[in-house]
Structures are given as structure tokens and as C-alpha cells.
Amino acid sequence: MRQSLLLPLLGAAGLSTAQTTAAPDTIPTILGIRGANSAGCFSATSVSAALGAGGLKFDFTDMRAAVAPADPFDSEAAVCIPTIELGAFPLGWRFSIAEATFTGHATLSGGARLESVAAVAYFQWEHLKNSAALDEPTVKNASGSYLMNMPEMKVDFGASGVYDKDFSINIPNPAPAWSPCFTGQEYSYDDKMQLQFQFQVYLTKEGYSKTGYGVFGRSTGPAMTANLKLVWEKCDPTKQTAWGQFRMGDYETCQRTGSTGTEGNPTVIW
């Protein structure tokens, strides 16, 4: 396997000043969800997702964390890294993420606090250039964008006293970027569209009394919900700027070489 370095297209993916609230008639379809084995997202069944013209909503069953009174330095993070596969994209449109909003419940006392949150989203489009038999190379191109990159936003609520209520945390996108411009051909064998996310909430009582106690997550229903606001724009898929932030030409190839395998079968080299 050969993978090229990510090459940024400077100025190609930043949001234009002519943003529009219009949306295409066809909204991409969620084909499937995969969940990384992380503290708060143990499988795809831990996550449900709903995509509409105005936003993408995630409900997290296992996004929970707690700190106990026994340890004055106790900390715990609730993390989920889901990937959704998408299809049926509208011709001549692209989208960006304007902001994210986390909602849930926290019970905090004795210095325990919800210190920070994180929201990262990366869009990748893989295109199979040729689908010939394996005696010829198969070659893939890829392009993508970091639609949102907020690895840490300080919140620090709950430390000033007893906190036991629902919360809503708005996370503005500090550097919005456009997805690749869709050609209308993405819902096919030759193309693969994925959105990978990382969501995190960090709970801690470091530096406070041993009596501190904290629990993050709703007691019933989804432990946490994340709503991502989408912005759409019409675009020209034939332009070079339609690639998104990154373009990786021939980033993966596969070819049979030689006849050194058992019984004369060729060896596959990546």
C-alpha cells in the first residue's frame, strides 16, 4: 500500500462570504454507522444519527463519566469516535458545519467540574479510478476536509458550588471549511463517502476536596446529544477548488506482481 502526504489547497476550502441557508432537494443518505471502541462509544449500537437539511443529530447511549470522593485528583473523559458512511449526494452542492451543541445532564459538587468539551469532524471521499482485474493496478484518489476542528474548549462549570441540572453547551466552529463539491456520482461502487467524528467531555476534580463528586450523563434516554448545524452552498464540481481542503492523488494502489506464490499464484502487493 502506498499513501501520499496530505497536500492542503490553500484558500480552496474556506467558507465564502456568500453563504446561503438554502439546501438541496436531495439530502445525503446515512448508509451505516461504525463506533470506535472508546470510553463512551463501545459499538455502533451506542450511537444513533439523523441527518436533515439543517443539521446532523447524534444521540449517545454510553457517553457517561464520573469522579468519586476518594481521590482528590480523579478525572474521567467520555469519548465517542463514530464514523458514518453516506450516499446519494446532490449534484453541485457542498456543506459545512457552522457549530455544534452538546446537551445532557450533570451532577457536580465539592469542586467536581465539567472542565472541557471537544468536537472534531473530518470528511473523506475515496474514488476508485479504475476497476480492472487485479492483473492491472487498482488506484484510488481521495479528497477531504476538516469540517470542524475544536480539540478542546474550556467550559469549567460546576466548580463554584452544587450543580444538578440539564445543560446546553454551544461550540462555535473556529475555522469552518467546505466539504468536497458533490458530482452526483457518489452513490456507487467506485466512490466511498465517510464522515468521522470525535466527541469528548472531560470531567475532573483535580486540586479540590476529597469530598468532591461528579456524574455526567442523563439518567434516562441518551446520555448526551450532539446537534451539528449545517450550511449548504451551490458549487461547480468541475473546478479544482471542488476538492475540499486536501487532495491525495493515487493515495492507494494494489497490483499483482510476479508468480512466486504457491502453485504459481501471483502475489498481491499494496
Side-chain angles (χ1 to χ4, degrees):
M1 180 183 294
R2 177 172 64 85
Q3 295 193 355
S4 324
L5 295 176
L6 297 176
L7 300 176
L9 295 175
L10 299 178
L15 267 63
S16 69
T17 56
Q19 289 187 8
T20 174
T21 56
D25 294 332
T26 301
I27 302 302
T29 304
I30 297 178
L31 303 179
I33 304 175
R34 298 195 306 274
N37 187 12
S38 51
C41 186
F42 301 106
S43 68
T45 58
S46 298
V47 187
S48 63
L51 178 59
L56 176 59
K57 178 184 177 183
F58 287 95
D59 283 324
F60 304 98
T61 301
D62 300 318
M63 283 281 284
R64 304 181 187 277
V67 292
D71 186 349
F73 302 102
D74 197 10
S75 301
E76 188 172 44
V79 185
C80 187
I81 309 175
T83 298
I84 60 175
E85 187 170 350
L86 302 171
F89 284 83
L91 171 64
W93 287 86
R94 59 185 181 178
F95 72 91
S96 67
I97 297 174
E99 63 184 18
T101 302
F102 289 179
T103 56
H105 187 94
T107 302
L108 308 165
S109 64
R113 62 200 184 278
L114 199 162
E115 184 178 87
S116 64
V117 295
V120 177
Y122 177 69
F123 187 104
Q124 180 160 306
W125 175 1
E126 295 181 5
H127 173 68
L128 184 64
K129 289 176 63 175
N130 66 310
S131 54
L134 280 178
D135 57 349
E136 298 293 336
T138 58
V139 183
K140 290 182 180 179
N141 288 340
S143 59
S145 298
Y146 282 98
L147 301 183
M148 187 166 190
N149 190 17
M150 176 56 78
E152 183 182 53
M153 189 182 88
K154 292 290 186 181
V155 179
D156 264 339
F157 63 79
S160 59
V162 176
Y163 184 101
D164 186 4
K165 57 185 176 180
D166 292 341
F167 64 81
S168 178
I169 302 170
N170 180 257
I171 309 172
N173 194 344
W178 290 112
S179 71
C181 185
F182 307 127
T183 65
Q185 304 297 316
E186 294 81 12
Y187 192 45
S188 70
Y189 172 80
D190 292 341
D191 290 88
K192 190 174 185 179
M193 296 282 184
Q194 293 184 340
L195 258 171
Q196 184 179 73
F197 299 89
Q198 179 173 334
F199 300 104
Q200 177 175 306
V201 175
Y202 186 68
L203 195 65
T204 186
K205 52 175 285 188
E206 184 173 353
Y208 286 81
S209 167
K210 283 188 178 182
T211 61
Y213 170 81
V215 176
F216 169 83
R218 298 185 184 99
S219 58
T220 59
M224 191 186 85
T225 299
N227 283 283
L228 282 68
K229 182 180 178 181
L230 302 184
V231 177
W232 294 86
E233 181 183 71
K234 289 186 176 181
C235 55
D236 184 348
T238 65
K239 300 292 186 182
Q240 188 180 42
T241 53
W243 288 347
Q245 281 182 313
F246 305 108
R247 171 72 171 178
M248 297 170 280
D250 299 350
Y251 93 111
E252 181 179 297
T253 63
C254 177
Q255 182 179 14
R256 289 191 183 274
T257 61
S259 56
T260 59
T262 59
E263 299 180 358
N265 292 326
T267 302
V268 175
I269 301 296
W270 289 89

